[in-house]
Amino acid sequence: MTKTTARFAAVATLTAAALALSACGGQSAAGGSAESGDAGAGGSVTTDGSSTVAPLTEAAADLFREQDASVNVSVATSGTGGGFKAFCADETDISNASRPIKDEEAAECEANGVEFTEIIAANDGLSVIINPENDWATDLTLEQLAKIWAPASEGTVTSWADVDPSFPDVPLVLFGAGTDSGTFDYFTEEVNGETGAIRTDYSPSEDDNITIQGVAGDEGAIGFLGLSYVEENEGTIVAASIDGVYPSTETVQDGTYTPLGRPLFIYVKNAAYADKPQVKEFVDFYVANSDEIAELALFVPLTQEQITVAQEELASLG
């Protein structure tokens, strides 16, 4: 099942439930009243950033449309870094991010008078994916990942046998996130010990579906992307365990899938929240319905402690 099919099948089910609730008592999905004939906030909400977080914000927009169809929520995907560039240039209301904002990005926002609030939105397990025909690398160590992806490995680690002598002499074919991606930053920091440190002879893309297609098409391929893409493409690609731990809702939430379990964020422009009723309405809805949104987009929901943090972050906007 494709990402779009999976998402919209779930939306159809939730839409029916929302309509049923509306018929019974006029309650909106966010818990407020949604009376027939309400005009809604109107206007638009502009978002950009992480391709990993985009499906989460798209799911939030799908559900939010049932509460207020008058608001148009746009979701662009220029990568976490590209999203922050637009956000700090005062071009968007919300920036979708798969990593925290960097000091230099925050400084750019400050220089342009853009004040913001970080809100934790969901969790993700950054997943290492292999071809389904690969039966030798189903459990990899962090040391092996570093050997595969380190800058020094370029030109020398070219076969699976170079990674481990017990592996077959099958050529390594590498796919992964592009340099504007928060997934790229996170993966290189955790695996190679330095943000941006990676061999250059891999196929980078800001579109995770390109990584999936590449890995699915070659027995010796390996790539990295968010957990939701693994769940939505079961059978097409396979996630490897890392040091014996498989990425899942349970292992991400309980902290055992380390160091590749991570939080995901939305960054909200304070002025947009204060001055645009549609932005406030959408962000409030996003936080209030984080569990349903995460499940719809096949992400790992927030823990109760994280929900409290998100609610406190939202309260600081008010």
Side-chain angles (χ1 to χ4, degrees):
M1 180 179 287
T2 66
K3 175 179 285 291
T4 301
T5 304
R7 184 164 62 245
F8 281 95
V11 170
T13 301
L14 287 166
T15 297
L19 290 172
L21 281 172
S22 177
C24 290
Q27 288 299 110
S28 72
S33 67
E35 305 211 1
S36 174
D38 282 355
S44 63
V45 178
T46 56
T47 80
D48 194 359
S50 168
S51 62
T52 298
V53 182
L56 189 71
T57 298
E58 287 170 354
D62 289 337
L63 288 178
F64 178 69
R65 200 168 292 116
E66 298 306 317
Q67 171 175 297
D68 190 347
S70 71
V71 177
N72 176 46
V73 180
S74 63
V75 185
T77 53
S78 62
T80 296
F84 279 133
K85 287 177 185 176
F87 184 73
C88 293
D90 204 17
E91 296 172 0
T92 57
D93 301 312
I94 295 170
S95 201
N96 300 315
S98 58
R99 60 159 171 80
I101 192 168
K102 296 178 180 178
D103 290 344
E104 57 267 30
E105 292 165 336
E108 183 68 18
C109 276
E110 183 177 3
N112 292 330
V114 175
E115 297 182 349
F116 60 82
T117 298
E118 175 192 277
I119 297 179
I120 187 169
N123 294 300
D124 184 31
L126 199 160
S127 303
V128 175
I129 60 170
I130 56 176
N131 185 280
E133 298 300 314
N134 182 333
D135 59 2
W136 61 87
T138 55
D139 181 48
L140 294 166
T141 65
L142 274 174
E143 183 179 0
Q144 288 171 330
L145 287 181
K147 192 168 186 178
I148 292 170
W149 292 98
S153 297
E154 184 171 342
T156 60
V157 180
T158 60
S159 162
W160 280 98
D162 295 329
V163 179
D164 190 302
S166 68
F167 292 163
D169 189 18
V170 174
L172 274 170
V173 184
L174 309 174
F175 297 87
T179 57
D180 273 341
S181 170
T183 296
F184 171 86
D185 291 338
Y186 191 86
F187 184 82
T188 53
E189 172 70 27
E190 297 301 333
V191 171
N192 293 330
E194 180 183 349
T195 301
I198 196 169
R199 58 194 295 173
T200 61
D201 58 341
Y202 83 105
S203 298
S205 177
E206 305 302 337
D207 183 351
D208 291 310
N209 290 299
I210 299 298
T211 297
I212 291 168
Q213 292 168 15
V215 173
D218 194 301
E219 181 186 22
I222 184 171
F224 58 92
L225 39 63
L227 176 59
S228 67
Y229 286 87
V230 176
E231 296 175 330
E232 292 166 351
N233 292 276
E234 185 177 357
T236 302
I237 45 91
V238 176
S241 298
I242 307 301
D243 287 319
V245 181
Y246 187 81
S248 69
T249 295
E250 292 73 21
T251 59
V252 171
Q253 283 193 325
D254 67 19
T256 56
Y257 187 65
T258 56
L260 297 182
R262 59 177 177 169
L264 303 174
F265 307 94
I266 59 171
Y267 282 75
V268 181
K269 191 171 298 176
N270 293 357
Y273 186 87
D275 300 336
K276 299 180 180 180
Q278 71 273 23
V279 173
K280 181 181 188 304
E281 186 181 6
F282 177 65
V283 172
D284 289 352
F285 179 91
Y286 208 139
V287 174
N289 295 275
S290 63
D291 276 357
E292 292 85 351
I293 292 166
E295 289 170 9
L296 175 58
L298 303 182
F299 281 91
V300 178
L302 299 174
T303 64
Q304 188 54 55
E305 182 179 353
Q306 289 174 318
I307 289 172
T308 300
V309 170
Q311 290 170 340
E312 290 172 349
E313 290 167 339
L314 179 66
S316 72
L317 273 166

